[in-house]
Amino acid sequence: MTSDDPVRRGGREAQRRRTRKAIVEAAVRLSAGGATPSIDEIAAAADVSRRTVYAYFPSLDHLLIDATAGALNEPPVEEALNDPSIADDPAARVDALIRTLLKYSPQSLPLGRRLIRLTVDPPVASGTEEPTGPRRGPRRIEWLEQACEPLRDTLGQEAYQRLISALTIVVGWEAQIALRDVRGLGPEAEEEAITWAARALVEAAIREHAADTR
């Protein structure tokens, strides 16, 4: 088994997600009282080094915005995706994810705009290397994978991951900003456009799979 083995890569990625989650959760806990924690305090609470925190978040502002957005969105999203009435319907699950995210967008989108600015031109802390790999956390990917879970085994790994990548384009703050700033859409038209685009991608993936298996 080589270092490039998919099992090892998957294990490393899972560990990275756990480490990042621990850092974010530490930031949320320390911020709960209203005070702004330092990087050193967050690192200690997450049981990681200061350098590790900077490997995931190029600045304290980046980390705190990400933590705030997660604390706002995660509980309602998890509740929506755990609805047993849509357990086997990936299109309905993606619809539920979109509706929930848009419901909370008045609070979360301003954070998203700030986070995107930090992501596009991230500061690099003195003495640390610029982060490698994705500059944003896996939260959106995890939610999309959870929503599309009924299709994971049906589509096969390559087609499933392509669908998740495509959905990443149309579900999230970037899509909202484009529809509002470029198209000038209001909330209802925005939700209709995002839901339509996401459903079209899910249905296209299902159709392609059906055609390939005939």
mmCIF file of all heavy atoms in Angstrom, residues 80-119:
data_model
loop_
_atom_site.group_PDB
_atom_site.id
_atom_site.type_symbol
_atom_site.label_atom_id
_atom_site.label_comp_id
_atom_site.label_asym_id
_atom_site.label_seq_id
_atom_site.Cartn_x
_atom_site.Cartn_y
_atom_site.Cartn_z
ATOM 1 N N ALA A 80 -32.908 19.609 9.298
ATOM 2 C CA ALA A 80 -33.561 19.463 7.992
ATOM 3 C C ALA A 80 -33.135 18.176 7.298
ATOM 4 O O ALA A 80 -33.960 17.453 6.728
ATOM 5 C CB ALA A 80 -33.247 20.670 7.111
ATOM 6 N N LEU A 81 -31.850 17.850 7.347
ATOM 7 C CA LEU A 81 -31.349 16.669 6.645
ATOM 8 C C LEU A 81 -31.690 15.373 7.359
ATOM 9 O O LEU A 81 -31.598 14.294 6.765
ATOM 10 C CB LEU A 81 -29.835 16.781 6.458
ATOM 11 C CG LEU A 81 -29.374 17.882 5.497
ATOM 12 C CD1 LEU A 81 -27.849 17.921 5.421
ATOM 13 C CD2 LEU A 81 -29.968 17.680 4.106
ATOM 14 N N ASN A 82 -32.074 15.459 8.615
ATOM 15 C CA ASN A 82 -32.473 14.264 9.357
ATOM 16 C C ASN A 82 -33.971 14.026 9.331
ATOM 17 O O ASN A 82 -34.474 13.148 10.046
ATOM 18 C CB ASN A 82 -31.990 14.364 10.810
ATOM 19 C CG ASN A 82 -30.486 14.159 10.929
ATOM 20 O OD1 ASN A 82 -29.902 13.338 10.226
ATOM 21 N ND2 ASN A 82 -29.853 14.915 11.809
ATOM 22 N N ASP A 83 -34.689 14.760 8.503
ATOM 23 C CA ASP A 83 -36.132 14.579 8.367
ATOM 24 C C ASP A 83 -36.402 13.209 7.741
ATOM 25 O O ASP A 83 -36.023 12.950 6.598
ATOM 26 C CB ASP A 83 -36.704 15.686 7.476
ATOM 27 C CG ASP A 83 -38.215 15.602 7.304
ATOM 28 O OD1 ASP A 83 -38.825 14.598 7.738
ATOM 29 O OD2 ASP A 83 -38.791 16.532 6.717
ATOM 30 N N PRO A 84 -37.044 12.287 8.461
ATOM 31 C CA PRO A 84 -37.247 10.937 7.929
ATOM 32 C C PRO A 84 -38.145 10.884 6.700
ATOM 33 O O PRO A 84 -38.069 9.927 5.921
ATOM 34 C CB PRO A 84 -37.885 10.182 9.111
ATOM 35 C CG PRO A 84 -38.481 11.240 9.975
ATOM 36 C CD PRO A 84 -37.597 12.437 9.824
ATOM 37 N N SER A 85 -38.982 11.904 6.497
ATOM 38 C CA SER A 85 -39.893 11.879 5.357
ATOM 39 C C SER A 85 -39.174 12.032 4.022
ATOM 40 O O SER A 85 -39.739 11.737 2.974
ATOM 41 C CB SER A 85 -40.953 12.980 5.503
ATOM 42 O OG SER A 85 -40.378 14.263 5.359
ATOM 43 N N ILE A 86 -37.919 12.511 4.038
ATOM 44 C CA ILE A 86 -37.166 12.690 2.789
ATOM 45 C C ILE A 86 -35.882 11.857 2.798
ATOM 46 O O ILE A 86 -34.956 12.126 2.024
ATOM 47 C CB ILE A 86 -36.836 14.175 2.537
ATOM 48 C CG1 ILE A 86 -36.052 14.771 3.723
ATOM 49 C CG2 ILE A 86 -38.107 14.977 2.289
ATOM 50 C CD1 ILE A 86 -35.548 16.181 3.466
ATOM 51 N N ALA A 87 -35.846 10.857 3.645
ATOM 52 C CA ALA A 87 -34.614 10.090 3.838
ATOM 53 C C ALA A 87 -34.083 9.479 2.550
ATOM 54 O O ALA A 87 -32.866 9.381 2.360
ATOM 55 C CB ALA A 87 -34.849 8.997 4.879
ATOM 56 N N ASP A 88 -34.978 9.063 1.647
ATOM 57 C CA ASP A 88 -34.545 8.358 0.438
ATOM 58 C C ASP A 88 -34.691 9.197 -0.832
ATOM 59 O O ASP A 88 -34.603 8.658 -1.932
ATOM 60 C CB ASP A 88 -35.352 7.063 0.283
ATOM 61 C CG ASP A 88 -35.136 6.113 1.451
ATOM 62 O OD1 ASP A 88 -33.984 6.004 1.907
ATOM 63 O OD2 ASP A 88 -36.124 5.502 1.909
ATOM 64 N N ASP A 89 -34.916 10.491 -0.685
ATOM 65 C CA ASP A 89 -35.151 11.365 -1.831
ATOM 66 C C ASP A 89 -34.045 12.422 -1.906
ATOM 67 O O ASP A 89 -34.133 13.461 -1.254
ATOM 68 C CB ASP A 89 -36.520 12.042 -1.705
ATOM 69 C CG ASP A 89 -36.918 12.817 -2.944
ATOM 70 O OD1 ASP A 89 -36.031 13.145 -3.756
ATOM 71 O OD2 ASP A 89 -38.120 13.113 -3.093
ATOM 72 N N PRO A 90 -32.982 12.172 -2.694
ATOM 73 C CA PRO A 90 -31.858 13.110 -2.714
ATOM 74 C C PRO A 90 -32.240 14.499 -3.209
ATOM 75 O O PRO A 90 -31.725 15.498 -2.697
ATOM 76 C CB PRO A 90 -30.849 12.438 -3.651
ATOM 77 C CG PRO A 90 -31.651 11.471 -4.455
ATOM 78 C CD PRO A 90 -32.749 11.011 -3.566
ATOM 79 N N ALA A 91 -33.124 14.594 -4.185
ATOM 80 C CA ALA A 91 -33.526 15.911 -4.684
ATOM 81 C C ALA A 91 -34.247 16.701 -3.598
ATOM 82 O O ALA A 91 -33.992 17.896 -3.404
ATOM 83 C CB ALA A 91 -34.416 15.759 -5.919
ATOM 84 N N ALA A 92 -35.139 16.030 -2.860
ATOM 85 C CA ALA A 92 -35.849 16.699 -1.773
ATOM 86 C C ALA A 92 -34.892 17.082 -0.652
ATOM 87 O O ALA A 92 -35.055 18.137 -0.009
ATOM 88 C CB ALA A 92 -36.954 15.799 -1.232
ATOM 89 N N ARG A 93 -33.887 16.270 -0.429
ATOM 90 C CA ARG A 93 -32.907 16.565 0.625
ATOM 91 C C ARG A 93 -32.071 17.787 0.243
ATOM 92 O O ARG A 93 -31.779 18.632 1.098
ATOM 93 C CB ARG A 93 -32.019 15.343 0.860
ATOM 94 C CG ARG A 93 -32.767 14.185 1.500
ATOM 95 C CD ARG A 93 -31.957 12.895 1.487
ATOM 96 N NE ARG A 93 -30.742 13.002 2.273
ATOM 97 C CZ ARG A 93 -30.690 12.852 3.590
ATOM 98 N NH1 ARG A 93 -31.808 12.618 4.275
ATOM 99 N NH2 ARG A 93 -29.549 12.929 4.234
ATOM 100 N N VAL A 94 -31.686 17.881 -1.018
ATOM 101 C CA VAL A 94 -30.947 19.067 -1.466
ATOM 102 C C VAL A 94 -31.840 20.299 -1.385
ATOM 103 O O VAL A 94 -31.400 21.382 -0.972
ATOM 104 C CB VAL A 94 -30.402 18.865 -2.890
ATOM 105 C CG1 VAL A 94 -29.803 20.158 -3.431
ATOM 106 C CG2 VAL A 94 -29.344 17.760 -2.906
ATOM 107 N N ASP A 95 -33.111 20.155 -1.770
ATOM 108 C CA ASP A 95 -34.060 21.266 -1.641
ATOM 109 C C ASP A 95 -34.136 21.733 -0.195
ATOM 110 O O ASP A 95 -34.138 22.945 0.095
ATOM 111 C CB ASP A 95 -35.456 20.837 -2.090
ATOM 112 C CG ASP A 95 -35.600 20.725 -3.596
ATOM 113 O OD1 ASP A 95 -34.639 21.096 -4.309
ATOM 114 O OD2 ASP A 95 -36.653 20.267 -4.065
ATOM 115 N N ALA A 96 -34.229 20.792 0.740
ATOM 116 C CA ALA A 96 -34.327 21.132 2.162
ATOM 117 C C ALA A 96 -33.071 21.853 2.642
ATOM 118 O O ALA A 96 -33.159 22.806 3.434
ATOM 119 C CB ALA A 96 -34.562 19.871 2.986
ATOM 120 N N LEU A 97 -31.921 21.411 2.168
ATOM 121 C CA LEU A 97 -30.664 22.070 2.522
ATOM 122 C C LEU A 97 -30.664 23.517 2.040
ATOM 123 O O LEU A 97 -30.323 24.437 2.787
ATOM 124 C CB LEU A 97 -29.487 21.299 1.918
ATOM 125 C CG LEU A 97 -28.109 21.962 2.023
ATOM 126 C CD1 LEU A 97 -27.719 22.178 3.480
ATOM 127 C CD2 LEU A 97 -27.063 21.114 1.299
ATOM 128 N N ILE A 98 -31.074 23.717 0.794
ATOM 129 C CA ILE A 98 -31.087 25.064 0.222
ATOM 130 C C ILE A 98 -32.060 25.958 0.980
ATOM 131 O O ILE A 98 -31.728 27.107 1.338
ATOM 132 C CB ILE A 98 -31.453 25.003 -1.276
ATOM 133 C CG1 ILE A 98 -30.339 24.310 -2.065
ATOM 134 C CG2 ILE A 98 -31.709 26.411 -1.829
ATOM 135 C CD1 ILE A 98 -30.734 23.949 -3.477
ATOM 136 N N ARG A 99 -33.267 25.477 1.211
ATOM 137 C CA ARG A 99 -34.266 26.291 1.922
ATOM 138 C C ARG A 99 -33.764 26.702 3.303
ATOM 139 O O ARG A 99 -33.965 27.845 3.735
ATOM 140 C CB ARG A 99 -35.577 25.514 2.051
ATOM 141 C CG ARG A 99 -36.373 25.389 0.764
ATOM 142 C CD ARG A 99 -37.802 24.950 1.055
ATOM 143 N NE ARG A 99 -37.847 23.707 1.822
ATOM 144 C CZ ARG A 99 -37.866 22.512 1.280
ATOM 145 N NH1 ARG A 99 -37.849 22.376 -0.046
ATOM 146 N NH2 ARG A 99 -37.915 21.422 2.037
ATOM 147 N N THR A 100 -33.104 25.782 3.980
ATOM 148 C CA THR A 100 -32.616 26.082 5.325
ATOM 149 C C THR A 100 -31.501 27.115 5.288
ATOM 150 O O THR A 100 -31.494 28.073 6.081
ATOM 151 C CB THR A 100 -32.113 24.797 6.002
ATOM 152 O OG1 THR A 100 -33.167 23.826 6.019
ATOM 153 C CG2 THR A 100 -31.673 25.077 7.428
ATOM 154 N N LEU A 101 -30.555 26.948 4.377
ATOM 155 C CA LEU A 101 -29.463 27.910 4.276
ATOM 156 C C LEU A 101 -29.974 29.298 3.909
ATOM 157 O O LEU A 101 -29.515 30.312 4.457
ATOM 158 C CB LEU A 101 -28.438 27.431 3.237
ATOM 159 C CG LEU A 101 -27.633 26.190 3.620
ATOM 160 C CD1 LEU A 101 -26.753 25.756 2.455
ATOM 161 C CD2 LEU A 101 -26.776 26.452 4.859
ATOM 162 N N LEU A 102 -30.938 29.361 2.996
ATOM 163 C CA LEU A 102 -31.471 30.662 2.582
ATOM 164 C C LEU A 102 -32.315 31.291 3.695
ATOM 165 O O LEU A 102 -32.358 32.521 3.820
ATOM 166 C CB LEU A 102 -32.291 30.514 1.306
ATOM 167 C CG LEU A 102 -31.494 30.131 0.056
ATOM 168 C CD1 LEU A 102 -32.421 30.056 -1.160
ATOM 169 C CD2 LEU A 102 -30.362 31.123 -0.210
ATOM 170 N N LYS A 103 -32.952 30.482 4.501
ATOM 171 C CA LYS A 103 -33.736 31.019 5.617
ATOM 172 C C LYS A 103 -32.847 31.796 6.575
ATOM 173 O O LYS A 103 -33.253 32.823 7.135
ATOM 174 C CB LYS A 103 -34.428 29.870 6.353
ATOM 175 C CG LYS A 103 -35.246 30.313 7.556
ATOM 176 C CD LYS A 103 -35.916 29.131 8.242
ATOM 177 C CE LYS A 103 -36.701 29.578 9.472
ATOM 178 N NZ LYS A 103 -37.361 28.413 10.144
ATOM 179 N N TYR A 104 -31.627 31.316 6.759
ATOM 180 C CA TYR A 104 -30.708 31.964 7.693
ATOM 181 C C TYR A 104 -29.730 32.914 7.006
ATOM 182 O O TYR A 104 -28.836 33.449 7.665
ATOM 183 C CB TYR A 104 -29.947 30.900 8.493
ATOM 184 C CG TYR A 104 -30.827 30.205 9.501
ATOM 185 C CD1 TYR A 104 -31.595 29.097 9.132
ATOM 186 C CD2 TYR A 104 -30.940 30.673 10.798
ATOM 187 C CE1 TYR A 104 -32.436 28.473 10.046
ATOM 188 C CE2 TYR A 104 -31.781 30.056 11.716
ATOM 189 C CZ TYR A 104 -32.524 28.961 11.326
ATOM 190 O OH TYR A 104 -33.367 28.354 12.234
ATOM 191 N N SER A 105 -29.901 33.137 5.708
ATOM 192 C CA SER A 105 -28.951 33.980 4.990
ATOM 193 C C SER A 105 -28.937 35.441 5.432
ATOM 194 O O SER A 105 -27.898 36.091 5.313
ATOM 195 C CB SER A 105 -29.186 33.887 3.476
ATOM 196 O OG SER A 105 -30.418 34.470 3.111
ATOM 197 N N PRO A 106 -30.046 36.017 5.938
ATOM 198 C CA PRO A 106 -29.932 37.406 6.421
ATOM 199 C C PRO A 106 -28.852 37.569 7.486
ATOM 200 O O PRO A 106 -28.219 38.628 7.573
ATOM 201 C CB PRO A 106 -31.331 37.695 6.977
ATOM 202 C CG PRO A 106 -32.232 36.835 6.164
ATOM 203 C CD PRO A 106 -31.450 35.557 5.976
ATOM 204 N N GLN A 107 -28.636 36.527 8.297
ATOM 205 C CA GLN A 107 -27.582 36.592 9.309
ATOM 206 C C GLN A 107 -26.245 36.065 8.778
ATOM 207 O O GLN A 107 -25.182 36.583 9.128
ATOM 208 C CB GLN A 107 -27.976 35.766 10.543
ATOM 209 C CG GLN A 107 -29.168 36.291 11.314
ATOM 210 C CD GLN A 107 -30.493 35.915 10.686
ATOM 211 O OE1 GLN A 107 -30.642 34.842 10.100
ATOM 212 N NE2 GLN A 107 -31.471 36.801 10.783
ATOM 213 N N SER A 108 -26.297 35.028 7.941
ATOM 214 C CA SER A 108 -25.057 34.368 7.550
ATOM 215 C C SER A 108 -24.391 34.973 6.315
ATOM 216 O O SER A 108 -23.166 34.911 6.192
ATOM 217 C CB SER A 108 -25.306 32.876 7.303
ATOM 218 O OG SER A 108 -26.115 32.668 6.166
ATOM 219 N N LEU A 109 -25.156 35.552 5.395
ATOM 220 C CA LEU A 109 -24.552 36.064 4.165
ATOM 221 C C LEU A 109 -23.555 37.193 4.417
ATOM 222 O O LEU A 109 -22.497 37.226 3.772
ATOM 223 C CB LEU A 109 -25.632 36.503 3.172
ATOM 224 C CG LEU A 109 -25.121 36.938 1.793
ATOM 225 C CD1 LEU A 109 -24.291 35.837 1.141
ATOM 226 C CD2 LEU A 109 -26.297 37.315 0.880
ATOM 227 N N PRO A 110 -23.825 38.137 5.329
ATOM 228 C CA PRO A 110 -22.783 39.137 5.614
ATOM 229 C C PRO A 110 -21.476 38.493 6.099
ATOM 230 O O PRO A 110 -20.384 38.945 5.739
ATOM 231 C CB PRO A 110 -23.424 40.005 6.713
ATOM 232 C CG PRO A 110 -24.886 39.878 6.470
ATOM 233 C CD PRO A 110 -25.093 38.455 6.022
ATOM 234 N N LEU A 111 -21.603 37.426 6.887
ATOM 235 C CA LEU A 111 -20.402 36.697 7.301
ATOM 236 C C LEU A 111 -19.744 36.050 6.093
ATOM 237 O O LEU A 111 -18.515 36.022 5.973
ATOM 238 C CB LEU A 111 -20.771 35.618 8.320
ATOM 239 C CG LEU A 111 -21.357 36.082 9.655
ATOM 240 C CD1 LEU A 111 -21.841 34.878 10.460
ATOM 241 C CD2 LEU A 111 -20.342 36.869 10.451
ATOM 242 N N GLY A 112 -20.574 35.515 5.188
ATOM 243 C CA GLY A 112 -20.039 34.888 3.989
ATOM 244 C C GLY A 112 -19.267 35.852 3.119
ATOM 245 O O GLY A 112 -18.210 35.513 2.587
ATOM 246 N N ARG A 113 -19.786 37.044 2.980
ATOM 247 C CA ARG A 113 -19.070 38.051 2.181
ATOM 248 C C ARG A 113 -17.694 38.353 2.785
ATOM 249 O O ARG A 113 -16.691 38.455 2.066
ATOM 250 C CB ARG A 113 -19.894 39.330 2.079
ATOM 251 C CG ARG A 113 -21.134 39.216 1.196
ATOM 252 C CD ARG A 113 -21.860 40.562 1.130
ATOM 253 N NE ARG A 113 -23.072 40.500 0.333
ATOM 254 C CZ ARG A 113 -23.116 40.698 -0.981
ATOM 255 N NH1 ARG A 113 -21.996 40.935 -1.644
ATOM 256 N NH2 ARG A 113 -24.271 40.647 -1.633
ATOM 257 N N ARG A 114 -17.648 38.477 4.091
ATOM 258 C CA ARG A 114 -16.371 38.752 4.754
ATOM 259 C C ARG A 114 -15.423 37.571 4.610
ATOM 260 O O ARG A 114 -14.222 37.741 4.358
ATOM 261 C CB ARG A 114 -16.613 39.060 6.231
ATOM 262 C CG ARG A 114 -17.323 40.368 6.488
ATOM 263 C CD ARG A 114 -17.717 40.512 7.949
ATOM 264 N NE ARG A 114 -16.570 40.451 8.830
ATOM 265 C CZ ARG A 114 -16.645 40.305 10.149
ATOM 266 N NH1 ARG A 114 -17.834 40.172 10.729
ATOM 267 N NH2 ARG A 114 -15.547 40.283 10.887
ATOM 268 N N LEU A 115 -15.965 36.362 4.758
ATOM 269 C CA LEU A 115 -15.126 35.174 4.665
ATOM 270 C C LEU A 115 -14.583 34.991 3.256
ATOM 271 O O LEU A 115 -13.424 34.598 3.077
ATOM 272 C CB LEU A 115 -15.930 33.945 5.098
ATOM 273 C CG LEU A 115 -15.142 32.645 5.294
ATOM 274 C CD1 LEU A 115 -14.021 32.850 6.309
ATOM 275 C CD2 LEU A 115 -16.077 31.534 5.751
ATOM 276 N N ILE A 116 -15.388 35.285 2.247
ATOM 277 C CA ILE A 116 -14.920 35.179 0.865
ATOM 278 C C ILE A 116 -13.789 36.158 0.607
ATOM 279 O O ILE A 116 -12.793 35.829 -0.050
ATOM 280 C CB ILE A 116 -16.093 35.399 -0.111
ATOM 281 C CG1 ILE A 116 -17.045 34.195 -0.059
ATOM 282 C CG2 ILE A 116 -15.584 35.609 -1.540
ATOM 283 C CD1 ILE A 116 -18.349 34.422 -0.774
ATOM 284 N N ARG A 117 -13.918 37.374 1.125
ATOM 285 C CA ARG A 117 -12.832 38.350 0.955
ATOM 286 C C ARG A 117 -11.542 37.842 1.579
ATOM 287 O O ARG A 117 -10.457 37.978 1.002
ATOM 288 C CB ARG A 117 -13.222 39.688 1.573
ATOM 289 C CG ARG A 117 -14.219 40.487 0.738
ATOM 290 C CD ARG A 117 -14.259 41.946 1.180
ATOM 291 N NE ARG A 117 -14.777 42.092 2.534
ATOM 292 C CZ ARG A 117 -16.068 42.258 2.823
ATOM 293 N NH1 ARG A 117 -16.963 42.290 1.841
ATOM 294 N NH2 ARG A 117 -16.464 42.397 4.070
ATOM 295 N N LEU A 118 -11.652 37.252 2.770
ATOM 296 C CA LEU A 118 -10.464 36.720 3.428
ATOM 297 C C LEU A 118 -9.892 35.520 2.681
ATOM 298 O O LEU A 118 -8.687 35.289 2.681
ATOM 299 C CB LEU A 118 -10.805 36.314 4.864
ATOM 300 C CG LEU A 118 -11.081 37.453 5.843
ATOM 301 C CD1 LEU A 118 -11.621 36.905 7.157
ATOM 302 C CD2 LEU A 118 -9.812 38.265 6.090
ATOM 303 N N THR A 119 -10.764 34.747 2.054
ATOM 304 C CA THR A 119 -10.324 33.565 1.311
ATOM 305 C C THR A 119 -9.614 33.950 0.027
ATOM 306 O O THR A 119 -8.602 33.345 -0.353
ATOM 307 C CB THR A 119 -11.532 32.665 0.989
ATOM 308 O OG1 THR A 119 -12.179 32.281 2.201
ATOM 309 C CG2 THR A 119 -11.089 31.407 0.256
#
